[in-house]
Amino acid sequence: STTQDVTVCAPQCSGRCFGRNPSECCHVECAGGCTGPKDTDCFACRNFNNSGSCVPQCPQTVIYNRLTYRMEPNPNAKYQYGSICVTQCPKIFVVDGSSCVSNCPSNKMEVEKNGVKTCEPCKGLCPKVCHGTSWTDSNSETVDARNIESFINCTKIQGSLNFLVTGIEGDAYNKVPPLDPEKLKIFNTVEEITGVYFLNIQSWPASMSDLSVFSNLQTIQGRKLYKSYALMVVKINSLTSLGLRSLQNINDGAVYIKGNKNLCYHDTVNWTRLLGSRPQKLKEKHVCHPLCSSDGCWGPGPDQCVSCKKYSRGGTCVPDCMFLTGSQREFATKSGECLPCHPECKVQEGKETCTGPVSNKCLACASLKDGPHCVSMCPEGVMGQEGTIFKYPDKEGNCKPCHNNCTQRCTGPGIGDCTISSRYISG
């Protein structure tokens, strides 16, 4: 008989059945009744429909590999599209984790991998391309109080950035107020100026002694130039240093720095390295910090070096990484950058704590160990190739697999150590 014929289900059933006997319960994933006990006999699914089977979740995009002790891509993964599990999302959708979504969330960006559009977490701000200001011999547009907020959260400028006196000090004729110097901090997010033109600074607030609002600018492409220049800084008497601490490449065009009577340090910069062109003479009176390399500096202090003599941490040159001291130990990359050890590494006395950033590069573990990886807890309820994985920590702190019949956590390797086992469920 069907659910419609049944008035009272056996107590063992969870409210849905296809007969009165205890063996005639609907599957727990059924919603609205069933014709039999299997997950394929449901009238409707409580959670998701996977090719006719009602399941609590679609086959996950990553599964636990018992051999490598890592979560790895699942070749049989499916994605949630409404209440249905699909092998690929419809064309107008993108994959976000295990779901099909119309747009990536604000902290992720859309990338294409092997023909599949997916949402990936952004490192810092998500890339945002903004149009710059235009520049021609007959018409020059400047950054000013009217357009400054259009550059909020921009990481790449498509075009030039011009800073002219009518923008910085205001333009009474066109009723443009002076630019608030604090607003220039909006450009802290800019990493690249590309497409056409250049960075052109012909006016600057008198209260600002450097260009450190561009401290994250790494590249000026300079594909179209103004009189062959990609970077111009002209007659800014308030400047004492450039402060362009992240600038590494000017891919085309030259640099024009002239008439800045109080400017120092710019002539210590190894412009050959940035421009790939003419050598630059150094002047004795402008001395870079001792931790700077011979590539020069953008201003005073160890955070203004073009590159470091020894090591760097967060953009500042340092004499050493915290290899043997400090509560947060570090290792050094090949380029000399100090990076923290994984939080699950146990701090070592008198020797290095780790050799890399990941959990299998620790010399010892702070809590538990799953294969070669230091972990805060053993895998519990993660999807594997052959079902759900549960592990427990042994006396030495190594993660060991629970008995195959365990359906929840365990305290040891035997079936008697299971919190709940499939033997008791089926019984």
Side-chain angles (χ1 to χ4, degrees), residues 136-199:
T136 63
D137 288 332
S138 58
N139 179 41
S140 52
E141 184 184 351
T142 179
V143 174
D144 59 28
R146 295 174 303 180
N147 61 25
I148 183 73
E149 293 193 359
S150 68
F151 298 104
I152 292 175
N153 291 336
C154 299
T155 58
K156 184 183 287 190
I157 303 296
Q158 190 87 22
S160 64
L161 282 178
N162 302 302
F163 295 88
L164 309 178
V165 67
T166 52
I168 298 298
E169 298 182 10
D171 183 353
Y173 180 79
N174 290 306
K175 298 181 180 179
V176 179
L179 181 61
D180 179 1
E182 281 293 306
K183 290 284 185 75
L184 288 169
K185 291 179 180 177
I186 284 172
F187 292 106
N188 275 330
T189 59
V190 174
E191 298 173 354
E192 184 177 351
I193 297 175
T194 186
V196 296
Y197 300 112
F198 50 90
L199 176 59

Side-chain angles (χ1 to χ4, degrees), residues 135 142-143 161-170 179 184 199-206 208 210-211 214 232-239 260:
W135 177 277
T142 179
V143 174
L161 282 178
N162 302 302
F163 295 88
L164 309 178
V165 67
T166 52
I168 298 298
E169 298 182 10
L179 181 61
L184 288 169
L199 176 59
N200 174 22
I201 298 174
Q202 297 188 27
S203 182
W204 202 244
M208 301 180 76
D210 57 33
L211 308 178
F214 288 104
M232 295 177 66
V233 184
V234 183
K235 296 182 179 178
I236 313 295
N237 292 332
S238 66
L239 289 184
N260 311 285

Side-chain angles (χ1 to χ4, degrees), residues 27-30 39-40 42 44-59 78 83-85:
H27 193 275
V28 292
E29 285 300 319
C30 290
D39 60 8
T40 54
C42 306
C45 293
R46 177 175 290 181
N47 293 296
F48 299 101
N49 187 322
N50 181 28
S51 301
S53 297
C54 292
V55 293
Q57 60 183 6
C58 297
K78 289 189 177 181
S83 61
I84 302 171
C85 302

Side-chain angles (χ1 to χ4, degrees), residues 75-89:
N76 301 311
K78 289 189 177 181
Y79 308 104
Q80 297 172 13
Y81 179 55
S83 61
I84 302 171
C85 302
V86 295
T87 53
Q88 56 186 136
C89 294

